[in-house]
Amino acid sequence: MDALQLLVSGLANGCVYGLIAMGFVLIYKATEAVNFAQGDMMMLGAFVALGLTNEHYAHLPFVVAVPLTILIMAAVGYLMDAVLLRRTFGQSQIAVVILTIAIGFVFRFVAGVIWGHEPQSLESPLAGRDIRFGGVVLGLDEVFVIVVTIALTVGMYFFFARTKMGVAMQASSQNQMAAYYMGIPVKRVHSLVWALSGAVAAIAGILFASKGSIDPATGFLGIKAFAAAVIGGLGSLPGALLGGIIIGLVEPFSARYLGGDLARLMPYLILVLILVFRPHGILSQVQAKKV
Amino acid sequence: MRIIFKKSYDADIGLFKHGFHAFWYMLLLVIAIALPYLVGEFLLGEFTSMLIWAVAGMGLMLLVGHTGQASLGHAAFLAVGAYTNVLFMENWGLPFLLSMPLAGLCAAFAGMLIAIPTTKLHGIYLAIATMAIGILSESIIVILEPWTGGVSGIFAPDIELFGISFNRYANITGMYWLYLAITVLILIGYRNILRSPLGRSFAAVRDSEISAQAMGVNIARTRTLAFAISCGITGVAGAMMGHFSGVFNNETFNIVISITLLLMIVVGGIGFIQGAFMGAIVIVFLPQAISFVRDIINGMTGGSSMTIPGLESGVFGAILVAVILFEPNGLWGRWLKIRTYFELFPFYRRDMFRRQKSYLKTERMR
């Protein structure tokens, strides 16, 4: 029973990592840029939700605050691309990496100024309720996280595979020039992908904040989620979820059986091993590098 | 406008382009040596810190700016340098003059060990791998507690050299001169590497691995060497940092330091040695500049001394965003443009430094 609870809480954690990783993958899949600010976008989303819901701030009902947060973060994502990232069009990947890291610094600063640096928790209706299931007590928030994540992943998968917009996003990722000739507004598509990833970040943030407390440094979770994305394969949405779950499960179990110091090592050890032996992740689509 | 008349082939790879070039750098060196007589003790400490960051930045610049390999985990090699240096001094009683180069060698060896399995990785994947190593090293320091002191940290002894003791608080002037000497030595070494065949092969690997290979450059060997030299320089910077801060633990070398190092050389100007120094100046003196501005604002408004936590990193992030968007060559690149404008007046054209646009292509094949 103990192991089962560890399993569920690990899964729930893993799903949050997976959701942040999904934000990375969305952007990487469509624009081949890597957004190191994804963790900070998650943090910002959590704080926006907190600012809208909590009694101390705007005190809106949770059902109103959630869609509003998602909208705001989608707008933030769209503007990030339209105002900043678009100008680096054609620069090296590393320039984009550094730019997004810098944007993350700014987000952390903004969140710190508005909401302070003390840890706060979201007053969500999910927190603190349990589900009893055959002698096992599971937190409602944890179950909810898992369900939402699975639904979102399936939705995203079909979005990319079946809808016109999703295919356009894939096309503009694979060859910008060719996509442009086919009449795809590449720049707008890129911005929309950033908006989508902002919305995903907002959802991840809300889920994370309803599980525990957040502060501006929460954004560093993005590094772990990034490891998840790479373990799963940077170009694959199911891979992101898989990587997130692997990390989410490895952490509590290794903490239990190997001790805290080694447990902190494990995600990155797996990451390094994956990078050395299977550089493009578990579920990769890469066969060979084009010159 | 100056026309340089080259009379021998060696003029192409000379340390200085022309006499005035040499004169300005000598003047800078003289000012740097005379600095303790010009500024107070506090500022001298800041300049010493700037030298340490500059050396670490030079280490990273060799890798990122001149070989084109991104690293987001260089704090790990700072840590290797700092810890091995103190361990050599404490356990084996080695003098600083011996322990510091040895610490650099240890860091270089660590860098080589990292480079060999990661030679196949490119661009973003290499950045991720090095970042993972940076994070791993932080935990490894905690696990190796018997040697590293774990979370409680380790004390760096005073540097004893020719009967003089160097300590940040007792003898900052001596420490400044010592570090200046180390910095200048590394700088000269760096310049010499760049004009040697090895340095040329670094640049070749950076610009195009395929053409480099076609010209007979052994890519794996060159990249491994670049990692080794870069990590060695960074290790020396780590040893300097250890003595400067006196006490350090795993937190001193966390992932934020690695990221800051990379951001620092980007602000300074990727691909220029001077960029490492410009970046170090920004990193070290930004907090001073901010508190200076804050004092002025408080003086004007008559308000009390208000402080915003995290303002430094926020402003730094904003500066970085501006640099990437408007001046991808960093502060040094901007200075080069200004200088060229005046040198060529009135013939400067806007597109002189324009980079060729390249459309990114997918790495995926289906």
Side-chain angles (χ1 to χ4, degrees):
Chain A
M1 287 304 117
D2 207 29
L4 189 67
Q5 260 164 19
L6 224 52
L7 184 77
V8 172
S9 75
L11 267 180
N13 263 336
C15 284
V16 173
Y17 297 151
L19 278 181
I20 307 173
M22 211 146 94
F24 284 128
V25 171
L26 278 174
I27 290 174
Y28 184 77
K29 212 171 152 74
T31 69
E32 297 235 321
V34 179
N35 179 19
F36 271 75
Q38 193 71 30
D40 299 292
M41 279 168 88
M42 186 275 289
M43 178 271 298
L44 204 61
F47 266 115
V48 169
L50 188 145
L52 290 174
T53 346
N54 275 17
E55 220 177 326
H56 185 59
Y57 300 102
H59 197 43
L60 291 171
F62 193 64
V63 246
V64 180
V66 168
L68 211 56
T69 307
I70 293 173
L71 262 179
I72 290 174
M73 287 314 293
V76 167
Y78 190 95
L79 287 178
M80 247 174 96
D81 183 63
V83 177
L84 300 174
L85 267 297
R86 192 176 287 175
R87 291 164 185 262
T88 63
F89 198 68
Q91 281 194 37
S92 72
Q93 271 186 330
I94 297 301
V96 178
V97 166
I98 291 161
L99 181 61
T100 51
I101 291 177
I103 293 172
F105 272 45
V106 175
F107 278 178
R108 219 168 300 145
F109 167 66
V110 168
V113 168
I114 300 178
W115 291 286
H117 287 267
E118 265 76 62
Q120 303 186 49
S121 54
L122 179 67
E123 292 158 8
S124 93
L126 298 167
R129 290 203 206 157
D130 298 332
I131 296 180
R132 282 167 209 284
F133 190 74
V136 190
V137 184
L138 304 173
L140 179 62
D141 46 357
E142 289 177 345
V143 177
F144 189 70
V145 167
I146 296 171
V147 171
V148 169
T149 309
I150 291 171
L152 209 59
T153 315
V154 172
M156 285 291 173
Y157 187 77
F158 280 108
F159 173 73
F160 268 98
R162 297 288 155 81
T163 64
K164 213 171 177 180
M165 196 40 149
V167 174
M169 283 174 180
Q170 287 203 43
S172 69
S173 132
Q174 284 176 5
N175 192 331
Q176 288 179 352
M177 282 313 260
Y180 187 70
Y181 291 147
M182 294 299 120
I184 295 170
V186 175
K187 286 183 180 174
R188 184 142 35 96
V189 164
H190 281 186
S191 297
L192 283 173
V193 170
W194 276 83
L196 194 61
S197 136
V200 173
I203 295 171
I206 294 167
L207 293 178
F208 184 77
S210 56
K211 265 161 40 63
S213 62
I214 48 165
D215 63 292
T218 308
F220 283 112
L221 205 72
I223 293 176
K224 216 177 273 173
F226 195 55
V230 176
I231 287 173
L234 255 185
S236 148
L237 282 175
L241 191 60
L242 178 72
I245 288 172
I246 288 176
I247 286 193
L249 287 181
V250 159
E251 265 186 331
F253 279 102
S254 58
R256 185 167 185 93
Y257 298 113
L258 297 175
D261 286 336
L262 275 174
R264 233 166 299 138
L265 280 179
M266 287 309 282
Y268 304 104
L269 209 59
I270 297 175
L271 173 61
V272 171
L273 289 178
I274 288 273
L275 277 175
V276 170
F277 293 109
R278 202 176 153 78
H280 295 286
I282 297 173
L283 301 178
S284 67
Q285 308 174 327
V286 186
Q287 264 88 50
K289 200 187 170 195
K290 231 195 281 182
V291 176
Chain B
M1 196 172 153
R2 179 183 296 114
I3 292 159
I4 302 165
F5 181 55
K6 288 175 182 162
K7 278 170 267 185
S8 74
Y9 290 115
D10 284 340
D12 266 334
I13 55 167
L15 274 179
F16 300 105
K17 281 204 204 90
H18 47 77
F20 259 110
H21 198 215
F23 169 76
W24 286 119
Y25 279 104
M26 288 305 140
L27 187 68
L28 186 66
L29 184 65
V30 169
I31 293 173
I33 290 172
L35 202 65
Y37 303 108
L38 304 175
V39 299
E41 273 200 359
F42 172 74
L43 266 183
L44 199 60
E46 295 296 307
F47 273 106
T48 315
S49 166
M50 189 274 276
L51 288 179
I52 298 168
W53 278 100
V55 172
M58 277 197 282
L60 191 57
M61 186 66 84
L62 184 82
L63 194 64
V64 181
H66 287 113
T67 323
Q69 315 295 325
S71 168
L72 272 172
H74 250 52
F77 306 106
L78 276 181
V80 172
Y83 279 106
T84 49
N85 175 48
V86 170
L87 289 177
F88 285 140
M89 287 174 87
E90 294 272 306
N91 295 358
W92 296 356
L94 292 181
F96 179 72
L97 272 190
L98 215 60
S99 72
M100 187 201 66
L102 269 180
L105 276 181
C106 284
F109 186 68
M112 240 166 83
L113 284 185
I114 303 299
I116 289 167
T118 53
T119 38
K120 287 266 161 60
L121 301 177
H122 290 268
I124 184 72
Y125 287 98
L126 184 67
I128 298 160
T130 47
M131 186 172 80
I133 285 156
I135 297 170
L136 279 177
S137 73
E138 215 183 309
S139 311
I140 289 172
I141 292 171
V142 179
I143 289 173
L144 294 179
E145 205 191 326
W147 291 295
T148 61
V151 188
S152 48
I154 191 171
F155 282 94
D158 287 359
I159 304 171
E160 297 283 346
L161 221 59
F162 313 118
I164 311 166
S165 144
F166 295 88
N167 178 300
R168 181 186 178 177
Y169 300 102
N171 183 8
I172 183 68
T173 312
M175 197 165 202
Y176 171 77
W177 275 331
L178 177 66
Y179 280 12
L180 184 66
I182 297 171
T183 311
V184 170
L185 274 179
I186 289 176
L187 183 60
I188 294 170
Y190 191 171
R191 269 296 278 162
N192 279 334
I193 286 174
L194 282 191
R195 57 199 192 123
S196 71
L198 185 65
R200 305 275 154 169
S201 62
F202 285 169
V205 168
R206 172 191 63 189
D207 292 339
S208 162
E209 289 203 356
I210 286 150
S211 348
Q213 208 159 19
M215 302 304 284
V217 175
N218 183 339
I219 307 256
R221 181 175 157 270
T222 311
R223 284 180 60 166
T224 312
L225 264 174
F227 255 98
I229 297 171
S230 155
C231 296
I233 297 175
T234 312
V236 170
M240 290 160 73
M241 197 178 263
H243 284 294
F244 183 70
S245 56
V247 58
F248 50 89
N249 66 355
N250 58 323
E251 287 283 309
T252 318
F253 305 104
N254 62 11
I255 183 71
V256 179
I257 300 293
S258 303
I259 293 176
T260 310
L261 255 179
L262 184 63
L263 302 187
M264 177 185 99
I265 62 169
V266 171
V267 167
I270 283 272
F272 308 102
I273 302 180
Q274 295 91 336
F277 285 83
M278 301 293 271
I281 290 171
V282 171
I283 283 272
V284 172
F285 291 99
L286 188 64
Q288 258 68 46
I290 287 174
S291 71
F292 183 68
V293 170
R294 183 187 295 144
D295 286 347
I296 290 177
I297 290 174
N298 282 342
M300 282 198 305
T301 58
S304 58
S305 63
M306 56 150 202
T307 49
I308 306 169
L311 183 64
E312 276 90 16
S313 62
V315 170
F316 185 55
I319 291 178
L320 254 168
V321 171
V323 163
I324 299 249
L325 291 185
F326 302 115
E327 192 50 82
N329 284 330
L331 294 176
W332 187 256
R334 171 53 59 184
W335 157 244
L336 280 186
K337 281 178 194 172
I338 294 171
R339 199 179 67 186
T340 315
Y341 177 84
F342 284 108
E343 274 180 0
L344 298 183
F345 188 79
F347 296 117
Y348 182 83
R349 284 175 295 115
R350 258 180 71 200
D351 288 350
M352 265 181 146
F353 285 85
R354 197 185 185 102
R355 292 135 46 97
Q356 279 187 325
K357 258 209 171 136
S358 64
Y359 291 98
L360 76 173
K361 278 190 191 136
T362 179
E363 289 186 336
R364 270 167 276 170
M365 297 251 289
R366 285 224 233 196

